[in-house]
Amino acid sequence: SSSTERSQLGYPETWLRGYRQSIFGMGCCCSCFSRKSGGGVSETEMTTKGSGKGKDDAQNLTISRKMSAPKVNHTDGTKVSGAGLALVGVPIEQDAAYWEWHIQQTGGAGSGPDAPRIEDDESNAPKFGVATKKDGNFYKALASHAADGDATPEEDGTALMRSILVEDGDTVGVAVQQSDLPMVQFLLNGEPLHDLAINRFRGAVYPSIYIREGFVATGVFDEDNWQELSPHARFGPLIAARGII
């Protein structure tokens, strides 16, 4: 991308060089402190996860099997298929973060030239956004709700997610800010989807996707592999807190 494009989005001409030096070249390691329930103070190391450096970092930037639906298949860390809710095992703790989902559409009933196109059916569209922490008990309760009829977004864990009509080769960007007014923004192939923005949310949230049959989605958290620019320079790669005491 040109320096003109970055300047229009709020990126100074020297931003990329300085950002890489400070974040990736030097490891982006700082310490913050959080209170334990017993009144003590635990030190937490903030480590850049988007760089993909280090075995622990690579393991953290993956779909969490424990927090994802039983019918979700995931390979290569962040590639998901099947059907259901899938959460990345890293909560969003920074003020602003951006990541992408790269979409592949597989063969099936919706792939023929005369067949109904799956990407035109919103009920079959994947959902993108964030979700609160989930576990096996949540999915057991969800299965019970499903037996009685379709679950509401609050019940199926997608209240902070939006359906986006996608097709093979599309890129869905998700930008989350937590300072000032918490907001989740969505982009499709670099174009903002303003009508889908979520303006308020509370509590710890995780990057998430509700995958549908007929699609494969790969979560991309390393900015070197992003297909599009984030909405603004402040939206950087995902950072995770890791306790060291």
Side-chain angles (χ1 to χ4, degrees):
S1 300
S2 67
S3 60
T4 300
E5 291 174 325
R6 288 189 178 276
S7 178
Q8 292 173 345
L9 290 169
Y11 295 87
E13 292 184 5
T14 59
W15 174 84
L16 182 59
R17 181 181 60 194
Y19 182 81
R20 291 187 184 282
Q21 288 176 346
S22 62
I23 298 297
F24 296 103
M26 300 181 67
C28 186
C29 180
C30 63
S31 293
C32 61
F33 294 89
S34 59
R35 290 283 177 184
K36 292 182 180 179
S37 59
V41 177
S42 63
E43 186 176 358
T44 301
E45 181 183 9
M46 299 296 292
T47 307
T48 296
K49 299 301 182 184
S51 65
K53 296 179 180 179
K55 182 176 179 181
D56 291 341
D57 292 355
Q59 289 176 342
N60 282 332
L61 273 182
T62 60
I63 300 297
S64 170
R65 184 178 299 275
K66 292 181 179 180
M67 291 196 291
S68 299
K71 293 184 179 180
V72 169
N73 305 313
H74 44 93
T75 59
D76 299 330
T78 58
K79 181 178 290 187
V80 296
S81 60
L85 182 63
L87 278 68
V88 175
V90 171
I92 303 165
E93 300 195 347
Q94 67 218 76
D95 286 341
Y98 173 83
W99 63 90
E100 294 181 347
W101 293 98
H102 295 175
I103 305 300
Q104 293 176 275
Q105 189 172 349
T106 60
S111 60
D114 299 324
R117 299 200 314 166
I118 193 169
E119 65 267 22
D120 289 339
D121 183 359
E122 188 170 344
S123 66
N124 285 323
K127 295 182 179 182
F128 305 87
V130 297
T132 56
K133 190 173 184 178
K134 301 293 184 285
D135 58 20
N137 291 329
F138 167 81
Y139 292 105
K140 290 178 181 178
L142 180 60
S144 177
H145 284 297
D148 298 331
D150 292 337
T152 66
E154 288 74 18
E155 292 170 339
D156 69 11
T158 63
L160 300 177
M161 305 175 71
R162 293 291 183 263
S163 296
I164 299 178
L165 297 172
V166 292
E167 58 186 355
D168 191 58
D170 280 348
T171 296
V172 175
V174 183
V176 176
Q177 68 180 41
Q178 302 197 82
S179 59
D180 300 325
L181 178 66
M183 177 182 293
V184 184
Q185 303 174 58
F186 303 93
L187 304 92
L188 179 59
N189 299 323
E191 295 295 325
L193 303 175
H194 296 296
D195 292 344
L196 300 184
I198 298 170
N199 292 322
R200 292 183 183 277
F201 63 89
R202 293 181 179 179
V205 293
Y206 297 73
S208 58
I209 183 172
Y210 196 101
I211 195 67
R212 303 286 191 180
E213 294 286 355
F215 292 98
V216 176
T218 302
V220 180
F221 303 95
D222 186 341
E223 68 166 349
D224 290 337
N225 295 322
W226 290 347
Q227 296 291 335
E228 307 291 343
L229 290 173
S230 65
H232 192 277
R234 69 177 180 273
F235 291 94
L238 187 64
I239 297 173
R242 182 176 62 204
I244 59 177
I245 293 180

